[in-house]
Amino acid sequence: MKKLWVFIKKEAIHIIRDKRTLMVLLIMPLAQILIFGYVITTEINQARIGIFNKANDYAGYQLVNRLAASGYFKIGKMIDNPEEMEASLRKGEVRMVVVIPSEFGKRQAESSGVEVQLVADASEANSAQMLVNYARSIITRFDAENGLSGRASEIPVTIETRMFYNPALKGVFMSVPGIMAMILILISAMMTSISITREKEYGSMEILLVSPLKPWQIIVGKVAPYIILSFINAVTILLVGIFIFKVPMEGSWWWLTIINILYILLSLSLGIFISTVSASQMVAMFISLFALLLPTVLLSGFIYPIENMPVLLRWLSSIMPPRYYIQAVKSIMFKAGSFMSIWKELLIFAAFIVAFMALSIKNFKVRLS
Amino acid sequence: MKDINTSAFAIEVVDLVKKFGNFTANDHLTFNVRRGEIFGFLGANGAGKTTAIKILCGLMAPTSGQVVVAGYNVMTHPELVKQNIGYMSQKFSLYEDLTIFENIRLYGAIYGLTANEIRQRSDTILRKLGLLKDRSRLIKTLSLGWKQKLAFSVAMVHHPKIVFLDEPTSGVDPVTRRQFWELIYEAAADGITIFVTTHYLDEAEYCDRVTVMVDGHIKALDTPAKLKKQFNVDTMNEVFLNLTR
Amino acid sequence: MVTVSGVSKYFGNIKALRRVSFQVEEGELFGVIGPDGAGKSTLFRIILSLLLPDEGEVCLWGKSPVADYKAIRRMVGYMPGKFSLYEDLTVEENLNFFAAVFGTTIKENYHLIKDIYRQIEPFKKRRAGKLSGGMKQKLALSCALIHKPKLLVLDEPTTGVDAVSRSDFWEMLQKLKNAGITVLVSTPYMDEASLCDRVALIQKGHILEISTPDAVTQGFGKQLFGVAGENMYKLLLHCRKFYRVESVYPFGEELHLTFHGGGDWREELIRYLYENGLANVRIRPIKPNIEDRFMSLMSITEKENG
């Protein structure tokens, strides 16, 4: 036991002495979440829109007020004719125009249906899509509150489920679990795989092998400090998310911690596995980056919704551990989920851990080559 | 600036001083290397050898003093110095995953030789080494001895006036090692100056003259025979131990 | 006691070791001498249980590295060719680490490493990466010794180290030997052979000879001459052309030369050289050294193996 403790201590010294890497490891998660939170914000704030109100009735004004009161939009211009609308959009005076049809109030009350037109400047495709989505959801809600119940609105109601649990439509909410999934797997898997292969490269592994240290002691000693480091990262991201970006935390901290620990263990075991198949730090790093980072970002549902993926990619995404992590964390944080809502994910984590560890132990060589 | 043709010296160093902060790596070094001489540059780890060589190769500017290599002042014309020297180290010499000819072509091109010149010189090198049939072999398939001999020839592909060799024969078998020294003798006989740095004293035995650096100073500069006589010992190893202990 | 019998090792098509056999006696300082690529490291790794031999057997005090690698690893100390301590750990931390890993403490075996460690102890708070080559080597040796191994295996410990440190290092090995530790050391430097009790000369995976250093040089069996003159290169080329000369190699300031049949044709040679414009040639009979012997053995095995 003393041997293991000494080994862990030595490993911790490696990490602490390498100030530059340590800073990167500690600051990277913060930088990531701030970038996602502020820069690549998927949130709309006071976007200038135009109103082409053909109705000029009470219901029409009510809708305009509702749009303005949402905080997402700022009514920049009242528009009187289609030419003016086009000109304003082209000049960039407004990013979207809401066209309220004539007799809006009256037709809304009837079952004949009514069409509110949203005309957006699609030169910035993403933000146009976002504006339209936001406006749609406001209009739909307005419609549901004021219109006749039980009748289908002409405005297609295509609110994504994620908006459902994210009523403020704040994008940064979505990125917190995603960033955690990415950072944790990257730090845990990449750093452990690099630190094990480094011993191989420097030749110190030869000495460790001829020592009475058992393979499991070498492995546990190598990964233990990274458990702590990863955990610190998880906590930082969560704190920043909750206190700076006001991400809701509805569920149990207890389950959230368990999810994180299991996910970190999973990432570490993956890192160990990578190290057993790569001969040098360089190889370990490339495997980690290409096998972990890109799939995490692209296939976990973090950035691109899984529902929109082609079948093959959807199938691939189902073997990506980050996907389950993101699901589980969202379930706990946003939906106040209980054990019943995450047991499947936890089980999947456990299965991954067992598989990676078994493969690693099978691959770990007590001799060279 | 002196023209190389009027000077008998390939390297002239007068009062070379190199300081890093308070630390003096080279303390008033003065020595000359004759054209066609095999000159050994010895010293323990940290004696200031590496610094001096970097200065001679134009990679680092001296703090003060005059250093003329191949007829050019290293302070004012480092690029011309680099054009006129070759360098070979035991640690790195040739690209393992390129073929013999590709390596020669690469170094030829680096030194601005034309395609024609490269072809001619590569033929000359390969013929001399008996590797004509092997021009398309990968370097990594060659034995260490062949690599070393080839690396030496490649370091001279641009017909430099001076070749710097860093521990050129450490680790190779004794026969190959002697073949290597024959190549060096031959190059020196052709008027090329050979500057050997090493801490293997048996390599020093092959030099015409050697300097021994200790703590930034030149502690001795003479032929191996005279140095051995001076200390009344049989090997350069003992000379070195006498000087540095 | 270490017994290596008929060990061969192949890496693909490359025969790294070919039926290597030798024995190291208890308390012996045994040197394996050969150039890079001769198979020294492979041989040591097989003895240490880090590699499996393709043929043959190894036995260390009755234990086999193949069947009982755990037992082997408890009784050996190993210093690999590359400096493989942790550069970001201090001298003391490195030593503590290796002591703990081997289940001992610095205190317990301090007497063993005292002489060596005392020289680096003033720098014990310094990171290993900041040490000079010679000090690194002393630290590595201390780390390999800290658990009081029965057998100390050193793979090219003096490569890349300056002459002063090398000579210190061999003195330390001598002391360890006197303390009863069996030492197996490899080196590409032939001049270090004379510092061992016995040596095995190895080339291309073959053992050329196993003997005491004196016996190795005596095995040369011919009169060797040292030839000195003004122009070494010319001298070499002309000596080689002289019909009575069997072998001639540059050897620093002299050429080492033998005549066919081991005879003495000095006067004829001097005359021949004089006729070819080389005056002031001095020839003296000299004793062969390990390198001379190594080269003659190389040419013999080369002939035997075609």
Side-chain angles (χ1 to χ4, degrees), chain B residues 16-79:
Chain B
L16 165 64
V17 177
K18 178 70 188 180
K19 288 186 177 172
F20 298 104
N22 286 328
F23 174 70
T24 308
N26 292 155
D27 197 356
H28 297 279
L29 306 187
T30 298
F31 63 92
N32 292 325
V33 182
R34 286 191 296 272
R35 284 168 69 194
E37 186 173 16
I38 302 174
F39 190 83
F41 201 60
L42 318 174
N45 296 328
K49 249 184 334 169
T50 314
T51 309
I53 289 151
K54 280 186 180 161
I55 293 170
L56 291 178
C57 292
L59 300 175
M60 198 187 259
T63 308
S64 68
Q66 172 121 358
V67 180
V68 177
V69 173
Y72 300 104
N73 189 314
V74 295
M75 281 281 262
T76 51
H77 296 92
E79 297 313 315

Side-chain angles (χ1 to χ4, degrees), chain B residues 70-91:
Chain B
Y72 300 104
N73 189 314
V74 295
M75 281 281 262
T76 51
H77 296 92
E79 297 313 315
L80 286 171
V81 168
K82 287 181 201 167
Q83 267 298 331
N84 284 288
I85 59 174
Y87 181 79
M88 177 205 150
S89 147
Q90 135 100 134
K91 281 165 216 120

Side-chain angles (χ1 to χ4, degrees), chain A residues 265-320:
Chain A
L265 288 177
L266 181 153
S267 307
L268 293 171
S269 59
L270 176 58
I272 295 165
F273 173 63
I274 291 175
S275 75
T276 61
V277 296
S278 35
S280 69
Q281 294 183 69
M282 186 103 116
V283 176
M285 197 160 91
F286 275 110
I287 295 183
S288 308
L289 278 178
F290 288 111
L292 301 179
L293 183 60
L294 293 179
T296 313
V297 171
L298 301 178
L299 293 178
S300 65
F302 167 30
I303 290 188
Y304 301 110
I306 293 165
E307 305 84 72
N308 297 352
M309 287 176 191
V311 182
L312 181 67
L313 290 185
R314 216 180 308 166
W315 182 80
L316 257 178
S317 99
S318 67
I319 55 164
M320 294 294 152

Side-chain angles (χ1 to χ4, degrees), chain A residues 14 17 199 206 366 368, chain C residues 45 50 73 78 86 88:
Chain A
H14 285 320
R17 294 255 165 95
E199 301 244 12
E206 276 186 60
V366 292
L368 299 170
Chain C
R45 284 173 177 161
L50 285 172
R73 292 175 188 191
Y78 176 37
Y86 298 104
D88 50 350

